[in-house]
Amino acid sequence: MIEKLQAHYGFSKMPFGRDLAPGMLHRHQSHNEAVARITWCVTERSIGVVTGEVTADRAALAPILLALGHTDEADHLLHNALNQFQVAFGPVHYDIAVTLNNLAAVAHRQNQLDQAQSHLQRALTIKEILLGPDHPDLAPTLTSLATLCRLQHNPQAAMRLYERAREILDATVEPRHPTLNAIRAALTEQKPTE
């Protein structure tokens, strides 16, 4: 059987053998991700890539396309990336959160504010699960949600979100950090005049 595989695929030597290091024999995350990708390709009878690099590259291209005004193309790339990431990684993975943030930007550009809010809420939930409730990477998502709440005429929710982002960044970044300064400015604008 091995000879048939070598002949069919043109291997000059076996890509694996009994000389594997013991540390390579235990299951780890990259193995699980590869199995998920291969399983998807087999069940869907589709040609696929075993690494996620192509999907990640396309997802990274989408914000550039959005900035250039190619909203539909960005939306298409991001939805495809989201589907592929979910198949490969399951429902909770950092790349999924990033993709959801970018989909929220697309939805905002298309004036689909409820959809944008839904994407941001899900991204925030994923980040909280993966990183914890006080990680500084939550601040951009919190700030985006706050801005969206402000646009939807919900200043109380916007204030709560801006405050949470400020508290997280106050504890983790320098006092003059640009994101922290932007949040402080937004909080000042949001405060009701008496």
Side-chain angles (χ1 to χ4, degrees), residues 1-11 14 16:
M1 178 65 167
I2 290 177
E3 291 81 20
K4 288 182 183 179
L5 288 172
Q6 284 179 310
H8 179 75
Y9 290 105
F11 295 139
M14 285 303 295
F16 52 86

Side-chain angles (χ1 to χ4, degrees), residues 6 26 34 36 40 50 65 81 117 125 133 149 155 166 169 171-172:
Q6 284 179 310
H26 71 284
W40 182 82
V50 176
L65 291 171
Q117 185 172 10
T125 300
C149 286
R166 185 194 53 76
L169 292 181
T172 57

Side-chain angles (χ1 to χ4, degrees), residues 18-192:
R18 294 180 183 208
D19 57 343
L20 293 173
M24 298 172 71
L25 298 177
H26 71 284
R27 295 191 111 186
H28 45 80
Q29 185 62 28
S30 59
H31 169 79
N32 293 337
E33 291 171 5
V35 168
R37 290 187 188 106
I38 292 167
T39 302
W40 182 82
C41 289
V42 170
T43 57
E44 296 296 317
R45 294 187 176 122
S46 179
I47 296 174
V49 178
V50 176
T51 81
E53 293 171 359
V54 172
T55 300
D57 290 344
R58 289 183 179 170
L61 174 62
I64 296 167
L65 291 171
L66 182 62
L68 294 172
H70 301 284
T71 307
D72 291 339
E73 192 174 353
D75 186 61
H76 177 74
L77 285 176
L78 288 168
H79 275 96
N80 283 344
L82 180 64
N83 290 335
Q84 290 177 21
F85 285 146
Q86 289 175 145
V87 167
F89 303 132
V92 178
H93 191 275
Y94 196 80
D95 286 337
I96 292 172
V98 170
T99 303
L100 287 165
N101 269 315
N102 290 332
L103 276 168
V106 170
H108 181 242
R109 175 76 58 91
Q110 295 170 330
N111 203 31
Q112 298 172 351
L113 301 184
D114 290 339
Q115 186 66 42
Q117 185 172 10
S118 175
H119 289 318
L120 288 170
Q121 288 286 0
R122 185 167 167 221
L124 181 62
T125 300
I126 291 170
K127 286 182 176 183
E128 289 173 330
I129 290 168
L130 295 173
L131 306 172
D134 300 321
H135 195 281
D137 281 357
L138 272 62
T141 305
L142 289 165
T143 304
S144 295
L145 267 170
T147 302
L148 201 56
C149 286
R150 194 173 73 201
L151 290 172
Q152 294 174 313
H153 307 289
N154 189 347
Q156 294 83 10
M159 287 289 285
R160 284 192 304 275
L161 292 162
Y162 282 133
E163 283 290 344
R164 181 169 174 215
R166 185 194 53 76
E167 289 170 7
I168 289 171
L169 292 181
D170 271 343
T172 57
V173 300
E174 294 292 319
R176 294 187 318 214
H177 190 279
T179 303
L180 188 54
N181 287 337
I183 292 169
R184 286 185 188 123
L187 280 167
T188 302
E189 288 175 21
Q190 282 296 114
K191 289 193 180 184

